[in-house]
Amino acid sequence: MAIKTLNPTTPGRRGMTTQDFDQITTKSPVKSLLKIKKGSVGRNNQGRITTHHRGGGVRRYYRLVNLKLASGTTATVEAIEYDPNRSARIARVRDQDSKLHYIIAAEGMKVGQKIVSGEDATIEMGNRLPLKSIPTGSTIYGIELQPGRGAQLVRSAGNGAQLVAKEGDYAQVKLPSGEIRKINVECMAQIGSVSNPQHQNIKIGKAGRNRKLGKRPTVRGVVMNAVDHPHGGGDGGRHRMAKAPRTPWGQKTLGFKTRHRKNVSGAFIVKSRHQAKRRG
C-alpha cells in the first residue's frame, strides 16, 4: 500500500494524504455479515456524557469479524475489503462448508490464497496455529490471551509480534509496544503481520475529516466559565492555575493514579514496555 498525496486545490487539501485502495478487491460487503452500528456519541445508559468530544460522523455498518477461526478450517480468500471500523483490512474467506467469514487480513494476503487453521497447518502467512506449533522467531498477529477466547492482541494496522521463546506451558511473545509477555502455548495466533502498514502515515489535513470520524472539537478548560470547569473563570488575564489540574468533575489529572490496581497482576509480564524504552 502507498500513500496518495492530493493536489493543493484548497488550503485543506494542501498537505493532506489519503490511503491507496489498490489492495482492496471489492466494494460490496456481504450483507449477512453486516450489523447496524449505533453510535454511543460518548454517552452512557443514562444519557450523560462520559467521554467528551465524540459525536456525529458518517453512518457505518459493523463487519462481523471472526477472531477465532475454528481449528480444522480450510478457507479460500475471496476478497480483500475495507473496514470503516478498524485500521486494518479484512479478508472475506469461504471455508470448506461454503460458509463465509471475515478475518483480519495479513500483509501480502491475496485473493485465491488458502488459509488453514489448526495444529497441523503449515507455517505460511495467514495460517492460524497454536503457539506451540509456531517456530521461535516467527512474526505473528491476532494472538489469544486465553485458549479459545479469540484474538485479543496485535490486531491494528501494520502491527506484528515476535515469538521470542517457549518454555514449558508458556511462550514469551514480544509485543509491538516492546513488552515481553508470557502466553499459554495452547493459544492461537496467525502467521505474518497485519495489513495496511502505511495507516500511521496518513495526514488528516483538515477538521472536516475528523468530524466524519466522529471526533468533535476539543475545548480547553481554562477558556471555560468557572461554572463549567475547575480551570474556568478569571478576568481574561494569565491562565496560570493556582491548584493542580483537574478533570471537569474535579478529579486530579497529573500524578494522581486513577487506574484500579486491586486485582491486576504482572505475573505474566517478563519485561514491561517501559523497561524496553529505557536506554543503557
Side-chain angles (χ1 to χ4, degrees), residues 105-131:
E107 177 62 18
M109 191 173 282
K110 304 289 185 182
V111 174
Q113 180 179 337
K114 296 288 185 181
I115 302 295
V116 182
S117 177
E119 189 173 337
D120 300 326
T122 57
I123 308 301
E124 294 180 2
M125 181 265 295
N127 286 353
R128 189 164 182 80
L129 303 89
L131 292 175

Side-chain angles (χ1 to χ4, degrees), residues 177-181 269-278:
S177 64
E179 175 181 302
I180 299 178
R181 185 182 184 90
I269 299 176
V270 178
K271 184 178 182 181
S272 76
R273 68 184 196 274
H274 305 295
Q275 290 175 325
K277 294 175 183 176
R278 291 174 186 166

Side-chain angles (χ1 to χ4, degrees), residues 24-84:
I24 294 172
T25 60
T26 180
K27 296 181 179 179
S28 302
V30 181
K31 289 187 177 180
S32 61
L33 296 176
L34 296 182
K35 186 175 72 171
I36 292 176
K37 182 178 181 180
K38 187 179 184 302
S40 64
V41 294
R43 286 167 168 78
N44 63 7
N45 59 357
Q46 297 176 333
R48 294 179 178 176
I49 295 176
T50 54
T51 305
H52 286 263
H53 321 128
R54 288 192 182 182
V58 296
R59 293 181 179 179
R60 292 178 283 182
Y61 284 97
Y62 186 77
R63 275 73 167 164
L64 300 173
V65 178
N66 189 345
L67 297 173
K68 47 181 178 180
L69 203 61
S71 183
T73 301
T74 301
T76 306
V77 178
E78 289 193 345
I80 305 295
E81 297 187 17
Y82 169 77
D83 189 349

